Amino acid sequence: MQDILNDIVKAMNASTDRGQVADYIPQLAAIDPNQFGITVALPDGQVFSAGCAQKPFSIQSISKVFSLTLALGKIGDAVWAKVGREPSGDPFNSIVQLEHEHGKPRNPFINAGAIAIVDAIMMGHEPKELLAEILSFVRYIANDNSISIDEKVAQSELATGHRNSSLAHFMASFGNIEHDVDCVLGAYYHQCSIAMSCEQLAQAGLFLVSEGTNKSTGSRVVSSARARRINSLMLMCGHYDGSGEFAYRVGLPGKSGVGGGILAIAPNKASIAVWSPGLDKIGNSKLGTQALEMLVERTGWSIF
Ligand code: DON
């Protein structure tokens, strides 16, 4: 495994076509695109890393997997009254379907859906309490109390988040946001601004590898049925309008973020985190996807 990861890092470091860093969030626009990291965490506790795998980056939309997991734990299937579970085929920040579908986002991973999920788990809490809960959940599943929120990224998003404000107010007009819109958005931006390294992220994904239990720590996070469903949503919706392409090329449940990270799950085999800040046109890590494609070719881990 270490040889495979070393080969991947060598290939990725040699790449000159690295995509574009997200520039609509000023704090992310300043990140050096010449970085690449990868970690493979196995259920038996073995961890293999190469490249910048210990450097924290903004997990952005990958956090939506963790907030969905929390929401399912808190309100169960009532989640599906607020968001659907169909691929959208539209960009992650699109507003077009919301009008036709009466303010109910297609799935929990597009921005509108993730904002609705934050509203669902707020349930009368102050935003700070909710954030503390999200952060402590992420620390618990990653088994690492040093994970924190990058306040500068959160403020940078807050200052430029006109799209997300539009989505949230539009949903509120249909009654699908119940709390104060600014409080919900503030919590959403902070959740997206959690900073994690590939090593921390791969650890955090381990519960999705082994039917809801992190076998390396012994903690049961969700039931096996729930883990299966979170994985299915990641496969169908985790890369927005690039989900089909990701399934075709990589063939694993995966969730991307505009910080350039991807968490991919090889069921019963491994949790994989990759990071390279340059994005493709859809907003998914360009080299991250290539690296996963290489990894799956070498390991045979595609689910297909
Ligand atoms: O709300 C946003 O636009 C970002 N905080 C998250 C978007 C994102 O990560 C999309 N991922 N590829």
Side-chain angles (χ1 to χ4, degrees):
M1 181 54 67
Q2 193 59 54
D3 288 346
I4 294 175
L5 299 192
N6 292 345
D7 288 351
I8 290 173
V9 165
K10 212 169 157 195
M12 295 304 128
N13 285 348
S15 172
T16 49
D17 186 8
R18 308 182 77 88
Q20 300 290 321
V21 294
D23 56 3
Y24 75 102
I25 301 172
Q27 200 69 24
L28 296 184
I31 306 280
D32 174 8
N34 295 310
Q35 304 181 82
F36 176 83
I38 184 165
T39 295
V40 171
L42 305 184
D44 66 4
Q46 291 189 80
V47 177
F48 300 90
S49 290
C52 318
Q54 282 154 1
K55 184 159 180 192
F57 59 89
S58 194
I59 65 166
Q60 290 294 320
S61 287
I62 303 169
S63 66
K64 296 169 180 175
V65 175
F66 308 136
S67 53
L68 171 67
T69 305
L70 258 186
L72 287 167
K74 281 187 154 209
I75 64 169
D77 283 344
V79 161
W80 307 122
K82 282 186 84 82
V83 300
R85 39 185 198 240
E86 292 294 341
S88 71
D90 276 326
F92 61 87
N93 56 4
S94 171
I95 202 166
V96 290
Q97 278 167 350
L98 270 184
E99 181 166 18
H100 294 298
E101 296 174 5
H102 310 290
K104 182 175 174 179
R106 274 282 170 102
N107 66 64
F109 295 152
I110 51 175
N111 285 8
I115 293 166
I117 291 289
V118 169
D119 181 60
I121 53 180
M122 200 166 252
M123 291 198 307
H125 289 310
E126 290 297 315
K128 272 196 173 150
E129 290 169 347
L130 175 64
L131 274 176
E133 191 173 349
I134 296 174
L135 188 59
S136 66
F137 177 66
V138 171
R139 287 174 172 174
Y140 165 66
I141 55 174
N143 196 25
D144 188 333
N145 282 333
S146 70
I147 294 166
S148 62
I149 291 172
D150 186 333
E151 187 60 33
K152 280 192 185 148
V153 174
Q155 291 307 326
S156 183
E157 289 207 61
L158 201 66
T160 53
H162 304 297
R163 282 274 186 133
N164 287 324
S165 297
S166 309
L167 294 170
H169 281 286
F170 201 61
M171 287 190 286
S173 77
F174 286 98
N176 200 16
I177 296 290
E178 291 161 45
H179 297 88
D180 178 82
V181 169
D182 289 334
C183 288
V184 172
L185 285 168
Y188 167 76
Y189 290 133
H190 281 82
Q191 165 202 303
C192 290
S193 302
I194 294 173
M196 292 169 83
S197 65
C198 287
E199 290 192 347
Q200 291 167 326
L201 196 54
Q203 292 286 347
L206 272 175
F207 76 97
L208 291 169
V209 175
S210 308
E211 302 184 358
T213 297
N214 180 335
K215 283 194 175 164
S216 74
T217 59
S219 31
R220 169 164 283 286
V221 180
V222 292
S223 67
S224 60
R226 197 154 274 167
R228 180 158 45 85
R229 283 162 175 158
I230 296 168
N231 275 318
S232 76
L233 282 157
M234 288 170 73
L235 181 77
M236 299 304 292
C237 316
H239 282 70
Y240 317 104
D241 43 340
S243 298
E245 180 73 6
F246 186 81
Y248 181 87
R249 287 173 57 189
V250 177
L252 294 176
K255 183 74 208 81
S256 66
V258 286
I262 301 176
L263 173 65
I265 305 298
N268 300 313
K269 296 193 171 73
S271 170
I272 308 140
V274 286
W275 173 56
S276 174
L279 309 176
D280 62 19
K281 286 198 175 68
I282 286 172
N284 301 316
S285 176
K286 189 161 187 160
L287 294 193
T289 309
Q290 281 175 21
L292 287 167
E293 208 174 357
M294 261 182 91
L295 179 71
V296 160
E297 267 167 27
R298 295 275 294 264
T299 56
W301 279 349
S302 165
I303 63 170
F304 298 107

